[in-house]
Amino acid sequence: MDLLGGGKDFTNKCILYTSTSKYEICDKINPYLIPGDNYFIESRSIPICDVSSMRFGSMPRDGGNLILTEQEKDDVLKEEPKLEKWIRPYVGAEEFINNKKRYCLWLVGIEPNEINSSNFLKKRIKACKEFRENSKAPSTRKFAEIPYLFCQIAQPDTDYLLVPRVSSERRRYVPMGLIKKEIIASDATQIIPNATLYEFGVLTSNVHMAWMRTVAGRLELRYRYSKDIVYNNFPWPEPKKEQKDKIEKTAKQILEVRKKYKDSSLAELYDEITMPIELREAHRENDKAVMEAYGFRGQKMKESECVRRLMELYKKIIDKE
């Protein structure tokens, strides 16, 4: 049966077309449009590998009353400078990627007399209480009892790795970064407390990006990074010490290059048109280091082949469960 006029018999074969209109002949195509056996990535509450746990950032459910713009922060500190210790930088995906500034009232450990001595705090907390009391969700109404706190507090007491939950599909790499513990992460992010350079290096690599692009959900066309689907099912490498050291070195270089462009947002740094060549090269070196840790040889490996190999590793891991 000459399907493509090439004189070859492709009976019982599958033809997989790529985004460049090229095709590949294969025996099977799985639901992720990757050559190979069927694999279904299911939601998991814990990682399949022995790695740090990822979790959502903190959720306010406050009607905006515990959140401050930079102008609101400046204005209130002119009137009540003693509130400075209760106001913290607050970062979600939008703020992190686009270098926008926002703040929150982080009142963990505050005493009642401190609230009572501040007209600003009393006003904001009263409005938050009313918002929660009027909510249709019983779980939100319950938190009206503690209107001075976020509903869900996930902020670690260590520095952490931040991954935006939503990111543009036009970027080769989802921007992520190591964040100081003083900065409050919102529930528009995923966080890994006490993350290492090695973890950052693997997660920011083209290997993890290929996995993410294949299994992640979408919000419109944007990538929607899920800890239960993307992170918890990701098959990590088992590097030798020298390979792990190399990943840490290349990961550190990515962060060092970013520092040189402190006036540019991550959106600008990771735009395919404006990405600095130094940053692109730092990522390429990191990509190579991570691929070596997996035993993936050759920079010209197709993304589909990379994902196929990851799927095989995934199956080996879950078959042992």
Side-chain angles (χ1 to χ4, degrees):
M1 183 178 180
D2 189 358
L3 291 179
L4 300 176
K8 293 185 178 181
D9 185 357
F10 294 128
T11 305
N12 299 323
K13 297 289 185 179
C14 299
I15 303 174
L16 177 64
Y17 282 88
T18 69
S19 59
T20 58
S21 296
K22 294 181 180 180
Y23 64 85
E24 180 179 345
I25 305 302
C26 49
D27 294 322
K28 300 176 184 177
I29 300 175
N30 69 24
Y32 300 97
L33 301 182
I34 300 297
D37 294 331
N38 284 337
Y39 302 107
F40 296 94
I41 308 300
E42 300 178 351
S43 178
R44 293 173 179 269
S45 59
I46 59 174
I48 62 172
C49 295
D50 185 18
V51 294
S52 301
S53 296
M54 176 180 278
R55 66 196 193 206
F56 291 116
S58 298
M59 180 184 294
R61 273 193 269 175
D62 63 331
N65 293 292
L66 299 179
I67 311 303
L68 305 174
T69 65
E70 186 172 24
Q71 186 63 55
E72 287 173 329
K73 184 262 296 184
D74 292 342
D75 290 344
V76 70
L77 289 182
K78 288 179 182 178
E79 298 295 325
E80 301 185 48
K82 64 182 180 181
L83 294 183
E84 184 173 12
K85 66 177 180 178
W86 301 112
I87 297 176
R88 303 274 286 276
Y90 180 64
V91 61
E94 176 72 13
E95 291 79 24
F96 177 69
I97 294 175
N98 294 290
N99 200 23
K100 295 182 178 179
K101 293 184 178 180
R102 207 159 49 136
Y103 299 83
C104 69
L105 295 173
W106 193 252
L107 305 179
V108 176
I110 195 169
E111 295 194 20
N113 71 301
E114 292 180 272
I115 296 175
N116 200 46
S117 64
S118 168
N119 290 328
F120 179 81
L121 289 185
K122 285 192 293 184
K123 180 180 178 181
R124 285 297 186 109
I125 293 171
K126 182 174 184 287
C128 179
K129 179 177 177 64
E130 291 173 352
F131 170 81
R132 292 177 180 175
E133 287 174 336
N134 293 325
S135 173
K136 294 181 179 179
S139 59
T140 300
R141 293 199 299 272
K142 177 183 176 181
F143 283 100
E145 297 175 354
I146 47 170
Y148 51 91
L149 295 179
F150 279 38
C151 281
Q152 294 173 330
I153 295 177
Q155 185 69 15
D157 56 6
T158 65
D159 295 346
Y160 57 92
L161 175 66
L162 182 148
V163 180
R165 288 177 61 189
V166 177
S167 179
S168 172
E169 77 284 357
R170 294 188 297 273
R171 300 187 184 105
R172 181 172 178 79
Y173 303 96
V174 171
M176 56 184 72
L178 298 172
I179 307 296
K180 295 294 184 183
K181 63 183 180 181
E182 292 79 17
I183 299 174
I184 306 301
S186 86
D187 59 309
T189 69
Q190 311 274 11
I191 62 174
I192 302 176
N194 217 15
T196 64
L197 275 172
Y198 166 72
E199 290 169 314
F200 169 71
V202 173
L203 292 180
T204 200
S205 73
N206 61 351
V207 176
H208 186 66
M209 292 298 109
W211 174 265
M212 182 278 302
R213 276 190 283 271
T214 301
V215 305
R218 299 291 180 115
L219 183 62
E220 298 165 342
L221 293 177
R222 292 170 291 167
Y223 300 124
R224 189 162 191 167
Y225 193 105
S226 163
K227 67 180 182 66
D228 293 340
I229 297 293
V230 180
Y231 182 79
N232 288 345
N233 284 297
F234 180 60
W236 286 68
E238 297 180 355
K240 298 176 183 177
K241 183 181 185 304
E242 57 269 25
Q243 291 174 328
K244 187 174 182 180
D245 291 345
K246 188 174 182 180
I247 292 172
E248 291 175 347
K249 181 179 179 180
T250 56
K252 184 177 181 181
Q253 183 60 26
I254 290 171
L255 297 175
E256 290 297 323
V257 172
R258 284 188 193 175
K259 289 179 182 178
K260 296 181 181 179
Y261 298 91
K262 59 184 179 180
D263 293 330
S264 297
S265 69
L266 289 172
E268 293 165 327
L269 290 176
Y270 284 88
D271 186 296
E272 281 301 301
I273 295 176
T274 59
M275 187 176 192
I277 187 63
E278 289 177 279
L279 182 58
R280 194 180 296 276
E281 186 57 34
H283 270 283
R284 284 175 180 159
E285 290 301 312
N286 183 70
D287 292 342
K288 287 193 292 184
V290 173
M291 291 184 76
E292 288 172 4
Y294 278 97
F296 296 169
R297 299 297 178 182
Q299 296 182 51
K300 294 183 179 180
M301 176 185 279
K302 295 179 181 178
E303 187 164 302
S304 60
E305 174 64 13
C306 176
V307 176
R308 184 185 69 79
R309 298 276 295 274
L310 290 173
M311 290 284 185
E312 291 173 352
L313 289 173
Y314 164 80
K315 189 172 187 303
K316 287 181 181 178
I317 293 170
I318 62 172
D319 282 349
K320 293 179 182 179
E321 293 181 344

